[in-house]
Amino acid sequence: MGEDSSRRLPRWWFGGVCAAIAVTGTHPLDLIKVQLQTQSQTDRKTVGEILKGIYERSGILGFYNGISASWFRQLTYTTARFALYEAGKDYVDTQKVSSKMALATFAGILGGIVGVPGDVVTVRLQNDVKLPEEKRPTSTFSTAFTASTKRRACPVSSAAQCQPFLGQSC
């Protein structure tokens, strides 16, 4: 008879919401990973020692240090990817796999660019938790985000000696 007017509307934002829910479960593992990766070569700790240290410093909630930045990253990165992919389907031939792959690549790259600030802030919050509370330069998402714009870039070869803020030399 007529055209079906009950066409499903895209719910691209579901991807971002679901990613934020998922990161809530995986964030403690990411926190441990970041702390393992950012250890100094002279003072290496085992996973058990890191777990014990986090729990002794902050209790069970300590495993969620930086979660607000993780949510921010997922809500920007994943939502942007899904939104760009959904919007782009109107402009490519969705019958061809190569077109879908190109669109997904494009959406992923732009989503990645959008998500980088959240990722940087997440790592900074997760790493700064190793410091005593009075020496932490970033204790909340907003201070970490502000600090990320002031941090200095250092050459890769001298990254081990790199100091995180302006006024300190590499």
Side-chain angles (χ1 to χ4, degrees):
M1 265 201 210
E3 213 172 284
D4 186 12
S5 63
S6 64
R7 182 175 173 257
R8 284 182 46 200
L9 296 174
R11 299 223 181 358
W12 48 264
W13 52 273
F14 278 2
V17 171
C18 290
I21 292 168
V23 82
T24 303
T26 61
H27 186 77
L29 298 173
D30 194 41
L31 175 71
I32 295 162
K33 176 200 71 157
V34 167
Q35 291 201 8
L36 282 169
Q37 290 175 331
T38 58
Q39 295 183 76
S40 67
Q41 292 295 327
T42 57
D43 188 28
R44 307 289 287 172
K45 294 181 180 176
T46 66
V47 172
E49 291 170 328
I50 290 173
L51 288 167
K52 183 180 175 193
I54 293 169
Y55 186 76
E56 286 175 350
R57 275 192 307 271
S58 307
I60 198 75
L61 293 179
F63 292 100
Y64 287 92
N65 281 319
I67 190 71
S68 59
S70 289
W71 287 332
F72 174 76
R73 181 195 188 274
Q74 291 305 325
L75 290 171
T76 55
Y77 165 67
T78 308
T79 305
R81 271 187 324 163
F82 279 96
L84 288 167
Y85 186 82
E86 283 295 323
K89 287 195 305 188
D90 294 337
Y91 300 99
V92 299
D93 180 9
T94 55
Q95 299 301 316
K96 294 170 61 179
V97 173
S98 61
S99 295
K100 286 182 178 180
M101 287 176 57
L103 178 58
T105 301
F106 174 75
I109 289 170
L110 286 182
I113 291 168
V114 168
V116 165
D119 204 27
V120 170
V121 172
T122 299
V123 170
R124 295 229 167 101
L125 285 171
Q126 290 174 334
N127 194 40
D128 288 349
V129 76
K130 293 189 288 189
L131 301 171
E133 200 160 326
E134 63 276 359
K135 292 186 177 184
R136 291 181 194 167
T138 57
S139 59
T140 65
F141 174 77
S142 61
T143 58
F145 192 77
T146 304
S148 71
T149 61
K150 295 178 183 174
R151 299 233 178 163
R152 210 179 138 151
C154 294
V156 174
S157 60
S158 66
Q161 295 111 12
C162 181
Q163 298 299 320
F165 293 102
L166 291 172
Q168 298 176 342
S169 62
C170 289

